[in-house]
Amino acid sequence: MKLIKIGRTEGNDLVIKDDTTISRNHAEIFQDDEGNIFLTDLNSSNGTFVNGNKLEDSKILKKKDIVKIGNTVIDWKVYFSENKAQKIKDEEIKEKAEDKILLEDLPSVNNISKNNSYYLFIIPVIISIIYINLNYGFNNIFFVFDILSLLFIPSIIAFIISAFSKIKFEHSLSILSIIIITAQHFIN
């Protein structure tokens, strides 16, 4: 519930001294508990107008109504910005914000920082190169194809895992590369 008294004297909530057509206690705007906003003329000398029509009784103001008191147009919406619809919208925003989990609130699952995770791409490549060198040596041209094949299968699986879960691609690739290289070593 909110009440704003408008007039020329200091006892009003909205004092307009420079307009001589405004009475000492000219009008009041009242908001009820349901969010309805009423404008009432307090028997002023020059009247109160809503959309160019002189106000006879109290009137419920609508969103686009223009209020003129004396020769002054009042931007009444500024004083009643928290109407019923706005309160409901604010409550919905608060509820949605409470539902969100902030990154800072989550426990740390590993000690790898975000900036250093790109180094994990190098691990499978180095392991693949060492494995191929031990089996073939670098003199054989086919070691390039073996490295690519050793990285291709883990890359595809890591991509699928990262697409459907929260596990990072780099982490999946590193682990899968080690598993596949180990499995291939024992097969040969």
Side-chain angles (χ1 to χ4, degrees):
M1 188 165 99
K2 189 173 186 180
L3 174 70
I4 294 183
K5 294 180 180 181
I6 305 168
R8 271 187 309 157
T9 59
E10 293 295 326
N12 293 295
D13 300 309
L14 179 58
V15 178
I16 306 171
K17 291 183 178 182
D18 56 346
D19 187 349
T20 57
T21 61
I22 294 178
S23 300
R24 283 182 232 140
N25 297 313
H26 195 103
E28 62 185 20
I29 303 175
F30 171 76
Q31 182 178 24
D32 65 8
D33 292 332
E34 295 176 9
N36 298 314
I37 300 173
F38 298 88
L39 175 64
T40 305
D41 184 78
L42 300 175
N43 297 322
S44 63
S45 302
N46 295 312
T48 302
F49 298 86
V50 176
N51 300 327
N53 300 318
K54 188 171 183 177
L55 191 66
E56 300 297 326
D57 296 322
S58 291
K59 177 173 174 46
I60 294 179
L61 294 175
K62 296 179 185 128
K63 187 177 180 180
K64 295 188 178 186
D65 283 344
I66 298 171
V67 175
K68 184 177 176 188
I69 295 177
N71 290 328
T72 304
V73 175
I74 304 293
D75 188 10
W76 59 273
K77 292 176 231 71
V78 171
Y79 303 100
F80 297 96
S81 62
E82 288 193 29
N83 57 23
K84 186 178 179 184
Q86 184 65 36
K87 285 181 183 177
I88 292 170
K89 193 174 186 179
D90 290 344
E91 287 173 9
E92 289 175 0
I93 291 170
K94 281 182 184 178
E95 287 174 6
K96 287 180 182 177
E98 289 170 359
D99 291 342
K100 290 183 180 178
I101 299 173
L102 297 175
L103 185 61
E104 297 84 30
D105 296 339
L106 295 175
S108 177
V109 291
N110 56 31
N111 293 331
I112 299 173
S113 69
K114 291 180 183 179
N115 297 335
N116 294 333
S117 63
Y118 62 90
Y119 289 120
L120 292 174
F121 279 117
I122 298 171
I123 294 171
V125 174
I126 292 172
I127 292 172
S128 298
I129 290 172
I130 292 170
Y131 175 76
I132 300 301
N133 185 32
L134 291 175
N135 285 338
Y136 301 111
F138 287 113
N139 296 333
N140 193 336
I141 188 68
F142 293 106
F143 84 93
V144 175
F145 297 114
D146 280 342
I147 290 175
L148 292 176
S149 66
L150 284 174
L151 294 175
F152 179 73
I153 294 171
S155 296
I156 296 296
I157 297 170
F159 176 75
I160 292 169
I161 290 172
S162 65
F164 294 106
S165 70
K166 292 184 179 181
I167 300 172
K168 287 188 170 186
F169 174 78
E170 304 91 48
H171 300 178
S172 300
L173 180 62
S174 297
I175 293 168
L176 289 169
S177 296
I178 293 169
I179 291 170
I180 290 178
I181 289 171
T182 305
Q184 187 174 9
H185 177 70
F186 287 116
I187 292 172
N188 290 338

